[in-house]
């Protein structure tokens, strides 16, 4: 059966138009208020994305989880009905598709063997070996912050630097090149960066990673990329282009998400001073708090998929070829699963949240993200116990124009 979900221009204009997606937030920390109504009344509903495509938005936890383990649900970024939440040029659409081919846009049977080649690089134990490096980075950033003027912007001073430097270490970038990745990655996050500048940065980063992959293909070193290249000599699953695409994926997936979670997490924690004290006093408390912060903020709201067959979900028939948007943010605020979900409850056991997605594409870097977040939160509040916002919560510049939620700036003083 073919799709009855057509591009907007083909839709019957006499029917009520579906609401636009992304939906507006009214309170900066809260998801769009409409999600609550949708979960109760229309858990699977049509929305229009900025490209004009119409897709099914799925908002309940159980439905999102079920679809993410359904083999009829495809992550194939080449599919023309894949709903993109940003209006992009045809060239950018092709870039997204090409980059997806390295891992994130693959379905079975291709996805499993490619992902397995990377699993050993992201185990809890492997990530723990990065701990001293992350701690050193965080301490260095805090030293600089304390030596500089007050108030200061914590996004610039810490939130973007920690994930950028951690990625350099993870990928095994030579020290002399590390500035480039930090500059290029952080430039992507600056407010007011034009699409052209973003594109230029992306091209520069890709050019650099291309050279890095070539250098390590010639002389594999003992780091993620070097080891992957050696493993690949046996499996031959990645050609040169795919390796470059995979490195891009790791930088893109691992940078902005973590940077925004650091900034939002600090802002969230500053609202609960007694919990900050608990984190300082009890090292185990920070692990629990990080899971709840991940749930509460869910910086990646919704990800796109396409139905490869007819599926019924929440009583709604989805047809083959229909676009889907699975909202992790709405799922993580589902009262049926997290009671009192609207409350940031730093003692809650939130480990079953879906901030890292679910199913075969569940975040490969989650152990690394946890290490970074735990070290940042513990260290900053231990070293600067008087840290506070230098502006009111309402005045903070929340990102409303990006696929990944976060803060453009976090002015703090102490
Ligand atoms: C707080 C930080 C992070 C958040 C919230 C996050 C979130 C996510 C989500 C929601 C997905 C699922 C995508 C999908 O289903 O289509 C994902 C996938 C992925 N993430 Fe993360 N991520 C974070 C940090 C990282 C880091 C640090 C890395 C690596 C350096 C990373 C690498 C990846 C990769 C490679 C995938 C694709 C996995 C696959 O397709 O098999 N992420 N992430």
């Amino acid at each position: 059966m073919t799709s009855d979900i057509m591009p907007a221009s083909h839709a019957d204009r006499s029917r009520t138009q579906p609401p636009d997606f992304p939906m507006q937030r009214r309170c900066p920390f809260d998801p769009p208020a409409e999600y609550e109504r949708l979960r109760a009344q229309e858990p699977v509903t049509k929305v229009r994305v900025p490209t004009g495509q119409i897709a099914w938005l799925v908002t309940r936890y159980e439905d999102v989880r079920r679809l993410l383990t359904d083999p009829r649900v495809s992550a194939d970024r080449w599919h023309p009905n894949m709903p993109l939440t940003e209006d992009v040029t045809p060239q950018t659409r092709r870039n997204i598709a090409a980059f997806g081919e390295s891992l994130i846009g693959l379905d079975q049977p291709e996805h499993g063997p490619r992902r397995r080649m990377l699993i050993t690089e992201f185990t809890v134990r492997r990530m723990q070996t990065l701990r001293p490096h992350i701690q050193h980075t965080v301490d260095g950033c805090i030293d600089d912050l304390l030596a500089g003027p007050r108030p200061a912007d914590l996004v610039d001073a810490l939130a973007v630097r920690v994930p950028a430097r951690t990625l350099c270490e993870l990928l095994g970038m030579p020290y002399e090149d590390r500035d480039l990745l930090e500059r290029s990655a952080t430039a992507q996050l600056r407010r007011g960066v034009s699409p052209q500048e973003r594109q230029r940065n992306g091209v520069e980063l890709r050019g650099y990673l291309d050279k890095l992959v070539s250098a390590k293909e010639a002389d594999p070193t003992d780091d993620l990329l070097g080891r992957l290249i050696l493993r690949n000599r046996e499996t031959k699953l990645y050609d040169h282009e795919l390796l470059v695409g995979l490195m891009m994926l790791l930088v893109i997936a691992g940078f902005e998400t973590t940077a925004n979670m650091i900034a939002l997490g600090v802002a969230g924690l500053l609202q609960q001073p007694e919990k900050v004290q608990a984190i300082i006093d009890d090292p185990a408390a920070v692990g629990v708090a990080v899971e709840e912060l991940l749930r509460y903020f869910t910086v990646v709201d919704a990800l796109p998929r396409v139905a490869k067959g007819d599926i019924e979900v929440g009583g709604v028939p989805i047809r083959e070829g229909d676009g889907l948007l699975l909202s992790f943010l709405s799922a993580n605020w589902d009262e049926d699963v997290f009671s009192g979900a609207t409350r940031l409850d730093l003692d809650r056991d939130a480990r079953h949240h879906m901030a890292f997605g679910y199913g075969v594409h569940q975040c490969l870097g989650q152990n690394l993200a946890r290490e970074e977040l735990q070290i940042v939160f513990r260290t900053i509040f231990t070293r600067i116990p008087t840290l506070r916002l230098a502006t009111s919560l309402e005045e903070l510049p929340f990102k409303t124009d990006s696929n990944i939620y976060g803060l453009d700036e976090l002015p703090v003083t102490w």
Side-chain angles (χ1 to χ4, degrees):
M1 191 176 280
T2 51
S3 171
D4 67 350
I5 300 267
M6 303 292 287
S9 52
H10 297 238
D12 177 1
R13 298 268 171 190
S14 61
R15 278 182 295 165
T16 321
Q17 292 293 318
D20 287 336
F21 188 92
M23 293 179 172
Q24 295 303 312
R25 296 178 183 243
R26 258 177 274 140
C27 301
F29 273 8
D30 296 357
E34 180 67 357
Y35 282 0
E36 193 181 342
R37 192 195 67 76
L38 289 174
R39 280 193 305 274
Q41 295 171 10
E42 290 176 69
V44 182
T45 193
K46 285 181 189 177
V47 290
R48 177 197 311 276
V49 295
T51 50
Q53 295 163 294
I54 307 293
W56 293 106
L57 175 67
V58 183
T59 46
R60 275 190 194 153
Y61 183 94
E62 286 308 334
D63 292 340
V64 172
R65 228 165 124 107
R66 194 159 71 70
L67 287 173
L68 284 167
T69 49
D70 190 318
R72 292 166 297 179
V73 172
S74 167
D76 177 6
R77 303 295 197 271
W78 286 106
H79 198 292
N81 290 4
M82 185 61 83
L84 297 186
T85 49
E86 266 179 308
D87 197 4
V88 293
T89 60
Q91 180 57 44
T92 309
R93 190 176 255 279
R94 279 194 293 278
N95 290 347
I96 292 173
F99 145 96
E101 260 185 301
S102 66
L103 193 71
I104 201 164
L106 293 179
D107 294 331
Q108 304 308 0
E110 287 80 18
H111 176 264
R114 293 252 182 98
R115 182 163 163 129
R116 275 196 291 282
M117 280 184 66
L118 285 155
I119 296 275
T120 52
E121 299 299 332
F122 288 96
T123 57
V124 173
R125 189 178 299 181
R126 173 82 75 187
M127 291 304 108
Q128 284 170 352
T129 64
L130 285 172
R131 236 180 233 174
H133 180 269
I134 302 170
Q135 185 68 58
H136 179 74
T137 302
V138 175
D139 279 327
C141 291
I142 295 176
D143 290 343
D144 293 346
L145 179 75
L146 291 173
R150 281 177 267 179
D153 172 19
L154 209 70
V155 170
D156 192 43
L158 184 78
V160 294
R161 291 178 201 274
V162 174
R165 292 180 191 174
T166 304
L167 280 165
C168 292
E169 182 71 11
L170 178 78
L171 302 190
M173 282 177 62
Y175 277 88
E176 60 276 18
D177 296 343
R178 294 191 174 194
D179 270 0
L180 183 141
L181 186 129
E182 194 171 328
R183 246 190 313 109
S184 167
T186 55
Q188 297 291 87
L189 280 199
R190 297 254 147 74
R191 198 150 39 138
V193 178
S194 66
Q196 293 83 343
E197 220 175 313
R198 252 175 225 280
Q199 187 131 358
R200 264 200 310 279
N201 272 322
V203 170
E204 187 190 22
L205 184 60
R206 197 184 165 87
Y208 171 73
L209 291 173
D210 195 331
K211 279 199 215 122
L212 184 69
V213 171
S214 297
K216 299 220 182 220
E217 279 167 340
D219 179 16
T221 39
D222 189 15
D223 46 54
L224 181 149
L225 179 51
R227 287 188 294 266
L228 184 64
I229 286 168
L230 287 180
R231 242 171 269 142
N232 198 45
R233 287 187 182 160
E234 312 286 314
T235 63
K236 302 197 172 24
L237 289 175
Y238 283 95
D239 63 16
H240 175 85
E241 281 306 302
L242 285 175
L243 276 176
V244 178
L246 182 66
M247 293 305 112
M248 281 292 276
L249 171 64
L250 292 178
V251 173
I252 292 169
F255 175 64
E256 195 170 344
T257 46
T258 315
N260 285 326
M261 257 320 292
I262 291 175
L264 287 169
V266 170
L269 287 165
L270 285 173
Q271 307 312 305
Q272 304 209 358
E274 71 294 349
K275 288 294 180 300
V276 167
Q277 194 54 49
I279 286 173
I280 297 171
D281 295 342
D282 171 14
V286 76
V288 177
V290 161
E291 297 310 312
E292 171 66 350
L293 289 164
L294 284 161
R295 176 198 74 82
Y296 186 80
F297 289 115
T298 312
V299 292
V300 181
D301 174 349
L303 281 168
R305 294 289 193 269
V306 169
K308 275 199 301 196
D310 293 351
I311 310 168
E312 193 179 299
V313 63
V316 174
I318 309 288
R319 301 282 175 237
E320 181 182 343
D322 284 358
L324 295 161
L325 282 166
L326 310 179
S327 175
F328 302 127
L329 176 59
S330 175
N332 280 343
W333 280 55
D334 188 335
E335 281 286 335
D336 289 344
V337 182
F338 301 98
S339 80
T342 57
R343 223 179 40 247
L344 177 65
D345 174 1
L346 295 166
D347 296 321
R348 176 202 305 273
D349 179 0
R351 277 173 300 179
H352 50 302
H353 66 71
M354 279 196 275
F356 290 123
Y358 189 71
V360 291
H361 292 282
Q362 194 181 41
C363 182
L364 192 58
Q366 57 186 285
N367 295 326
L368 178 56
R370 288 189 170 103
E371 281 293 336
E372 291 178 79
L373 295 172
Q374 292 183 15
I375 292 174
V376 166
F377 298 146
R378 203 168 39 227
T379 310
I380 194 158
F381 291 113
T382 306
R383 289 199 53 194
I384 321 180
T386 57
L387 190 78
R388 60 185 188 280
L389 290 183
T391 175
S392 70
L393 192 63
E394 292 69 37
E395 279 169 325
L396 287 178
F398 287 88
K399 277 182 208 281
T400 48
D401 57 349
S402 162
N403 271 339
I404 299 174
Y405 197 57
L407 281 162
D408 282 318
E409 276 170 37
L410 182 59
V412 292
T413 192
W414 53 92

